[in-house]
Amino acid sequence: MVAAMHIQTENDKTAFGLRTTDLRNIAIGLTAAIVLIMVAGQMADSGSASASTLEDTKDSRFTCSFTSASTATPNEAQDDVLAVTATASGGGNTCTFTNTGGADTADFTITAAGDLDFDATPDHENPVDSDTDNEYVVIITATDSADNAVATQTITITVQDVALAFTGGNSPSIAESVATNAAVTTLTFNDIPDTCEFTGSGNEDEDGDGTNAFSITNACVITVADADDIDFEDDASYSIGVLATDTDVNTGSASDSATTTVTITITDVAPTVTDNDVNLAEASTYGNVATIVTTGDDSSITWSISSGNENSDGDGTSAFAIAAATGIITVTDGDDIDDETAADAAFTLVISATDGTTADTESITITITNTGPTIVDNDVNLAEASTYGNVVDL
């Protein structure tokens, strides 16, 4: 006898009241959820790794690498230090530069393109770095144009000493008509001297007033101290010794000096007679008529009347004279002056002025103005017995 067997179908319920189909569907859903969670986790890990990789790539790609030296040894008395350069690792990127620190940061400037200069011209004998040993330290930052990534470089600048020597300004020229305090020249050097002074003879006091012709400052600027000492006809040039010194504040034995001769050439300026026409009353006898002056050279002038000075009465004395040293015209013979006589109603005097080298002339017209006669009252007494003869002279 064969026992009866029950075969379970999809619609049969389990002990929990669930169909077999339901259990299968739940199992499939749970499996799918687990798979999704695992995939999401893997994607998250992959994304984080990718982001990290990109960041690392960016950091390593967009940076500036310095290609210029970290030391410089410029000579004193010059501002230029170094052309700072760097290469950006990203194609087409550029690097810009800034001064961002260092013990002597205040002593330097730098352009965005990398031109590093001293802010003030350095002097080896008078260093201004933080420890006054002529070694300056500055930190330069390079910034990448792509993402502002920065790199820094510390640069040490050691200022070199140079022997003091003149380089120019030793042969100036000035006109003899120059004014007091006028500039003559500024001597130049390959270094920065502390003092300058005249030495020896050559800076003369021609007029004996106690002031020499020229003066010099510690900065080696030469000016006119007394213009009255300068006359081409007396001295056409001055040769004056100059001593410049440069004292080392740290080591006196490192101080140096230089000497030179400055030759100042004086150029001639011709006198120019100024026209000064005047009127003169015919009744004038003696005294000043006019003062003639010059422009240009006005020192050591000799005056004369070259023509036009008449001697109408033939007594050997002309109507006017001019003082050779001052140019003052005076009446010397009033009898030669007469408004009623056409020849004596005006005088055109040709005045000449010379400084001994060059001369100038000018025609000065002196016009004679009429002076009317004036009868002077002269009452007199006359005796009744008088018959003939002079009674009064009016």
Side-chain angles (χ1 to χ4, degrees):
M1 178 175 170
V2 178
M5 181 182 293
H6 175 72
I7 300 175
Q8 189 176 26
T9 65
E10 291 182 355
N11 292 324
D12 291 337
K13 293 183 179 180
T14 66
F16 299 99
L18 296 176
R19 297 184 182 89
T20 303
T21 303
D22 293 336
L23 290 174
R24 186 179 59 190
N25 290 338
I26 290 172
I28 292 172
L30 288 174
T31 301
I34 292 171
V35 170
L36 288 174
I37 290 172
M38 293 176 65
V39 170
Q42 291 176 355
M43 291 179 65
D45 290 342
S46 175
S48 176
S50 297
S52 176
T53 301
L54 288 174
E55 185 69 27
D56 291 343
T57 301
K58 180 180 73 173
D59 288 343
S60 62
R61 179 183 179 187
F62 303 128
T63 58
C64 291
S65 299
F66 283 92
T67 55
S68 53
S70 61
T71 60
T73 55
N75 287 338
E76 61 177 324
Q78 69 176 43
D79 295 334
D80 291 340
V81 176
L82 179 69
V84 179
T85 58
T87 301
S89 55
N93 298 345
T94 59
C95 298
T96 57
F97 302 93
T98 52
N99 174 358
T100 55
D104 305 296
T105 181
D107 295 319
F108 297 92
T109 62
I110 190 169
T111 65
D115 184 13
L116 181 63
D117 294 324
F118 278 100
D119 187 56
T121 304
D123 183 2
H124 185 274
E125 286 73 23
N126 296 275
V128 295
D129 57 298
S130 59
D131 51 4
T132 65
D133 64 353
N134 279 302
E135 287 192 358
Y136 297 75
V137 178
V138 63
I139 297 174
I140 301 302
T141 296
T143 303
D144 190 284
S145 62
D147 59 358
N148 294 324
V150 297
T152 61
Q153 183 181 52
T154 299
I155 302 176
T156 301
I157 299 101
T158 304
V159 174
Q160 304 299 300
D161 188 23
V162 296
L164 183 65
F166 287 94
T167 57
N170 299 42
S171 302
S173 64
I174 58 173
E176 63 175 325
S177 58
V178 69
T180 296
N181 297 323
V184 177
T185 187
T186 298
L187 302 176
T188 57
F189 307 86
N190 63 343
D191 194 2
I192 305 171
D194 299 315
T195 63
C196 267
E197 60 183 292
F198 289 137
T199 61
S201 60
N203 188 21
E204 301 174 6
D205 176 19
E206 299 284 358
D207 59 5
D209 65 355
T211 302
N212 292 333
F214 303 99
S215 63
I216 189 169
T217 69
N218 281 336
C220 297
V221 177
I222 298 176
T223 57
V224 175
D226 187 355
D228 292 335
D229 289 329
I230 299 172
D231 187 357
F232 174 82
E233 285 67 37
D234 291 335
D235 286 300
S237 67
Y238 292 79
S239 293
I240 309 172
V242 173
L243 169 66
T245 58
D246 192 9
T247 304
D248 193 309
V249 297
N250 290 326
T251 307
S253 60
S255 302
D256 54 7
S257 62
T259 59
T260 190
T261 298
V262 178
T263 300
I264 303 172
T265 301
I266 310 301
T267 58
D268 184 39
V269 177
T272 301
V273 180
T274 302
D275 192 1
N276 190 13
D277 296 337
V278 295
N279 294 325
L280 179 67
E282 65 177 330
S284 300
T285 55
Y286 299 96
N288 293 353
V289 176
T291 299
I292 311 302
V293 297
T294 68
T295 58
D297 187 5
D298 60 359
S299 62
S300 302
I301 301 298
T302 300
W303 298 89
S304 62
I305 301 173
S306 58
S307 64
N309 194 14
E310 300 174 8
N311 175 26
S312 298
D313 60 4
D315 64 356
T317 302
S318 299
F320 303 98
I322 189 169
T326 63
I328 297 175
I329 298 175
T330 57
V331 175
T332 53
D333 189 351
D335 294 338
D336 291 326
I337 300 171
D338 185 3
D339 176 68
E340 283 71 38
T341 303
D344 299 333
F347 293 79
T348 300
L349 305 181
V350 178
I351 306 299
S352 175
T354 179
D355 60 6
T357 302
T358 54
D360 185 48
T361 60
E362 182 68 41
S363 295
I364 306 298
T365 300
I366 302 175
T367 301
I368 308 303
T369 59
N370 182 51
T371 302
T374 302
I375 299 175
V376 179
D377 189 4
N378 192 7
D379 297 337
V380 297
N381 295 323
L382 180 65
E384 63 180 332
S386 299
T387 55
Y388 300 97
N390 292 348
V391 175
V392 64
D393 185 10
L394 296 177

